[in-house]
Structure formats: C-alpha cells, structure tokens
Amino acid sequence: MSGVWLRPPRSPGRSGPPLHRERIVAAAVELLDQDGVGGLTMRRLAERLDAGSTTLYWHVTNKDDVLDLALDQIFGEVQLPEQTPDGNWQSEVEALVLGWLAAMLRHPWSAALLGRPLLGPNVLTRTEFLQSALRRAGLVEPDLTAGTHALANYVIGTAVTLSTWQRLDDPEFRQAAQRHLTTQRDRYPTLVASGHLDDRDWADTFRRGLKYLMAGLAARM
Amino acid sequence: MSGVWLRPPRSPGRSGPPLHRERIVAAAVELLDQDGVGGLTMRRLAERLDAGSTTLYWHVTNKDDVLDLALDQIFGEVQLPEQTPDGNWQSEVEALVLGWLAAMLRHPWSAALLGRPLLGPNVLTRTEFLQSALRRAGLVEPDLTAGTHALANYVIGTAVTLSTWQRLDDPEFRQAAQRHLTTQRDRYPTLVASGHLDDRDWADTFRRGLKYLMAGLAARM
DNA sequence: CCAGCTCTAGAACGTTGTTCTAGACTCTAG
DNA sequence: CTAGAGTCTAGAACAACGTTCTAGAGCTGG
C-alpha cells in the first residue's frame, strides 16, 4: 500500500532508457498544473511523453507512485533559508513556511494529494530544517515536536483551504457562495459581518496566524 | 462546478419517496467508514439502498454532491460547547476544536475530501461559533479573521496529517517507514532524534499546538 | 379516464487503471 | 560471431467506473 519511497527503484539499463522517472514526473507536474488532478491520466501522461500508455508501468508501479513523486517534486521548489547561527529563528521559520505555502499555491492540485504519507526526500528535508531551527532556538521536548507539527499542519491546512478557492476561480461561483452566506445573515451573523468569504489579503492573514503561533512558541523557550 | 449548497433541492413528491437524500447520505457515510473514499461508488451505494444505481441521479446530480453532503454530515457530529457569557473563551475554543478533530478522525476519509468548498450548514455553524467566541473574547479585525482562519486551518491540517497515518494502520508499513527514516539518520538527524514518525500521544501534541496559538491570540486582546 | 407529475431503473457509452503478453533492442559471456 | 539474459516498449483486453438516455411504473388532481 502506497509507498514509492519504501521500495528500491528499478536499476537502469546499460545506457539508460529514454523514458526515465524524472521525465515522467516532470510531465506529470506539467499535466497537473494544466488540468488539475482530474486531468492526469496514465494515457494522457504517456501521450505527452510520446510513449505507449502501458510503458509507464515499467518505470512506475502505480498511478499512486506518479502522484507521490509529483507531490514531493514541488516541495523541492521550496527554498531553504540561510541558517543564521546567531540568528533570528522567527525569520528563518517564516521564510521557510511562506515558501512552502507559496509552492503549494503555485500547484493548487497539491493540496488534494496531501492525504498520502509525506515520506519523500524533499518534504523530509524541509521538515528537518523546520524542526532543527526550533531546536537551535532552544525548544526542547515535548514542545519541539509539538511546535514542528503545529507549524507544518498550519501550513497544510492553509494550503488546503486557499487552494480550494483558488482552483474555483469562477467568479460566478464565488458570487453565488457570497449570496448563499449573506442571505442567511441571521444564522451566521459574525461570519457575514467579517466578510468570511471575501477576497482579502490571504498572505497577510496567514502571516498573522503564523505570528500568533510563533509568539506562543517563543514563550516556551 | 461543485455546489450542492448553491442549488435549490428538488421538491419532494406527494407522499415522499422511499429514497430521500438523507437515506442516501447516511448510506454513503456508512460506506465511506467501511471502505474509504475508494469504496464509495454509485453502484455500491445504490446496492446498499436496494435501488438501481441510476436512480440515485434523481435525488442527487452528481457523485460530488454525495461527497459534499457526506462531508458536511459528519461535521454535524461536532458538539457546540455551552456558551459561557462571562466565560473562559479558551475552554470554549478548545472544546469545539478538539471535537472537530475527533469527528474527522472518526471518519478518516473526511480529510481527503477537504479539497472542496466547505459551504454546508454544519461547517458554517461551527465556524460561526468559533469566530463568535473569539469576538466575544474581545478580538477585533484584522485579528478576528486571522484568528478564526488560523484555528480552522490548524485543525484541518492536523486532521489531514493524522488521518493519513490512521488510514494506513498496517504495522508493516509503519515499520518500513521508520526504517526508511532511521537509515538516513545523517540526512534527518533532528527528525530521527525526536522520533518524528513514532506513535506518540497525538492528542497531547495537538493540544500543545493549540495552546501556543491561543496564547498568541490572547496577547492581541 | 386521462394528463401530468414524481420516481425508478435497464441499457449503453466513453474512460479509467491495470494486467497479460509478445516482441524489440543492447550488452556480455562463451 | 552467436546465444541469451536482461532492459525496455507497447498492443490487446478486462473489469469497473460515472453518467446519460430512455422507457415506463405509480400516484394524484381534475
């Protein structure tokens, strides 16, 4: 069940096949960017690679493999901030976490794939960075683990929420959702008053939440 | 595109059909609980209701409708805490948020469905409660919106992460994942040292993160 | 009795992920 | 130079899926 990372990769032939994993993953990401999760089928993926659809199964055991690999691939886009030994841990964490969120929003399909174990090298490297930044800042167990999970899960949750609305960029739908809410002002007075579905500055909102979290963490150091 | 909540429901017949939406949704939740998202097909759902598979399409326009309805259904299980007018807002928020997470973990498939707009009455009612609790505690914009989103997204992210591992309860897989990590101790020293994939008390970890977040929010009141 | 609904469901279509199978190509061993 | 064991490609085919089309029950009000 579901683990590209736990299986050894197939050893390549003498001169290397024209269709390697990397090409497959790159094409998969392109396809996902274009048409979302529903747009990625093994046949369309093969077509884009000028290959037979069943050929893919030599390099990859599953469609799940492709999805796992594509997901970890985009986490590789997240730049690791410079480690400042003296330094401000909060700016390190903020930089990483903002980059993380930005990468997921650049590939909105990624949020829908988070329901699979994140064991790829890129994800693990970034989580390692996050936790080590907290440790260097002086956090100890059990706050260290709790802090890491809190930050990571906050990013994940935000990515899920934001990419949902981003993927539905149909303005007609947004308006209908707005109407749906405002016509029930008596049920949801606070939500309506605060414009819960409005298109506000999500980056600022996210950063604020991050500040709350880091403030609470700082108190434990 | 994707909106049961924005379409008016079909008006029922004279004496009410034996196959209403509520029965369909209930059966869908049962099926999802048993076999996960992959186990829910329109044919299996109809079979469980002793109906023709195509009959479902009279009561529901889409499979997406079924998923949207099932998802909102389980949010109805989340109990709204007593509102204490004088009261400790933190205990209110904690009770709601813990109940929210627990409901999603009781139905681990729900996390995989979060990539759709949450516009159902049950979700909106709970979000309204959350935000009104923060408002009553004295939070004002823009912290009010940011706080609501932070809490909601933290729950969502945690639910995604935890239900992923819960769904993969195969101990063999967990062990393989452990080995995968520990054999790369040089790459991920901090993660390995803190037992990142260990089966720890997730409820405590979650509660700790919640405390950080609420502490940061309290400072803004 | 009929007309007009609410509701049911069989047949069928196009797509999907995946397996089975046969064959091509390439390098090494004898 | 030939035989053969990988390495890699891909056509045919299968079961299962979501969904549409269509025909027709069953009931109710006129």
Side-chain angles (χ1 to χ4, degrees):
Chain A
M1 166 87 199
S2 173
V4 225
W5 315 113
L6 312 180
R7 266 176 274 118
R10 238 196 254 267
S11 57
R14 313 292 169 199
S15 59
L19 195 65
H20 19 268
R21 265 195 180 179
E22 290 160 43
R23 273 193 68 211
I24 295 179
V25 175
V29 170
E30 280 179 33
L31 217 45
L32 287 163
D33 283 341
Q34 269 184 32
D35 305 317
V37 179
L40 177 67
T41 73
M42 295 301 267
R43 281 176 241 258
R44 293 228 303 152
L45 181 55
E47 189 183 10
R48 175 172 284 249
L49 292 161
D50 274 321
S53 53
T54 61
T55 305
L56 297 174
Y57 287 88
W58 176 259
H59 305 274
V60 141
T61 64
N62 245 345
K63 184 182 181 182
D64 274 345
D65 273 20
V66 179
L67 294 174
D68 283 334
L69 292 164
L71 185 60
D72 193 67
Q73 171 89 343
I74 67 153
F75 288 130
E77 298 176 8
V78 181
Q79 271 208 317
L80 294 179
E82 289 281 337
Q83 286 194 24
T84 55
D86 58 327
N88 192 340
W89 66 274
Q90 301 215 16
S91 65
E92 271 184 49
V93 167
E94 181 168 337
L96 179 79
V97 151
L98 278 174
W100 193 327
L101 179 63
M104 295 199 65
L105 293 182
R106 244 178 285 131
H107 308 279
W109 46 269
S110 62
L113 301 185
L114 287 178
R116 47 190 69 239
L118 300 179
L119 294 175
N122 288 327
V123 138
L124 288 180
T125 300
R126 269 107 198 127
T127 311
E128 164 73 23
F129 180 93
L130 191 63
Q131 180 148 330
S132 84
L134 295 181
R135 193 182 49 71
R136 277 179 282 125
L139 218 56
V140 293
E141 297 294 356
D143 289 314
L144 181 55
T145 292
T148 309
H149 278 111
L151 287 167
N153 287 333
Y154 175 50
V155 179
I156 287 178
T158 306
V160 167
T161 301
L162 287 179
S163 70
T164 297
W165 290 100
Q166 185 172 314
R167 204 149 21 81
L168 270 51
D169 55 355
D170 183 7
E172 203 172 330
F173 181 85
R174 289 201 71 114
Q175 277 185 13
Q178 281 287 356
R179 265 196 308 276
H180 173 65
L181 203 63
T182 49
T183 55
Q184 304 192 64
R185 177 175 266 109
D186 50 332
R187 270 174 185 269
Y188 317 118
T190 315
L191 293 182
V192 172
S194 72
H196 185 249
L197 295 182
D198 284 357
D199 232 349
R200 52 162 47 81
D201 185 359
W202 58 261
D204 178 67
T205 301
F206 174 73
R207 220 187 307 252
R208 283 191 125 78
L210 187 58
K211 288 268 199 283
Y212 308 147
L213 200 46
M214 291 197 299
L217 278 172
R220 307 286 306 172
M221 288 173 178
Chain B
M1 168 86 198
S2 173
V4 226
W5 315 114
L6 311 180
R7 265 176 275 118
R10 236 196 256 266
S11 56
R14 315 287 169 202
S15 59
L19 195 65
H20 20 268
R21 264 196 181 181
E22 289 161 43
R23 274 193 68 212
I24 294 179
V25 174
V29 170
E30 280 178 33
L31 217 46
L32 287 163
D33 284 341
Q34 269 184 33
D35 305 317
V37 178
L40 177 67
T41 72
M42 295 302 267
R43 282 176 239 256
R44 292 228 304 152
L45 181 55
E47 190 183 9
R48 176 172 283 250
L49 290 162
D50 273 321
S53 53
T54 61
T55 305
L56 297 174
Y57 286 87
W58 176 259
H59 304 273
V60 141
T61 64
N62 245 345
K63 184 182 181 181
D64 274 344
D65 273 20
V66 178
L67 294 175
D68 283 334
L69 292 164
L71 185 60
D72 193 66
Q73 171 90 342
I74 68 153
F75 288 130
E77 297 176 8
V78 182
Q79 271 207 317
L80 294 179
E82 288 281 337
Q83 286 193 24
T84 54
D86 58 326
N88 192 341
W89 66 274
Q90 303 215 15
S91 65
E92 271 184 49
V93 167
E94 181 168 337
L96 179 79
V97 152
L98 277 175
W100 192 328
L101 179 64
M104 295 199 64
L105 293 182
R106 246 178 284 131
H107 308 280
W109 45 269
S110 61
L113 301 185
L114 286 178
R116 47 189 69 239
L118 300 179
L119 293 175
N122 288 328
V123 137
L124 288 180
T125 300
R126 270 109 198 125
T127 310
E128 164 72 23
F129 179 93
L130 191 62
Q131 180 149 329
S132 83
L134 294 181
R135 193 182 48 72
R136 277 179 282 124
L139 218 57
V140 293
E141 297 295 354
D143 289 315
L144 180 55
T145 291
T148 309
H149 278 111
L151 287 167
N153 287 333
Y154 176 50
V155 179
I156 286 178
T158 306
V160 167
T161 302
L162 287 179
S163 70
T164 297
W165 290 99
Q166 185 173 314
R167 203 148 22 81
L168 269 51
D169 56 353
D170 183 7
E172 203 171 330
F173 181 85
R174 289 202 70 115
Q175 278 185 12
Q178 281 287 356
R179 263 196 309 276
H180 173 65
L181 202 62
T182 50
T183 53
Q184 303 191 64
R185 175 175 269 110
D186 49 333
R187 269 175 187 268
Y188 317 117
T190 315
L191 292 182
V192 172
S194 71
H196 184 249
L197 295 182
D198 284 358
D199 233 348
R200 51 161 48 81
D201 184 0
W202 58 262
D204 179 67
T205 301
F206 174 74
R207 221 187 308 253
R208 284 193 125 78
L210 187 57
K211 288 270 199 284
Y212 309 146
L213 200 46
M214 291 197 299
L217 279 172
R220 305 288 305 172
M221 289 173 177

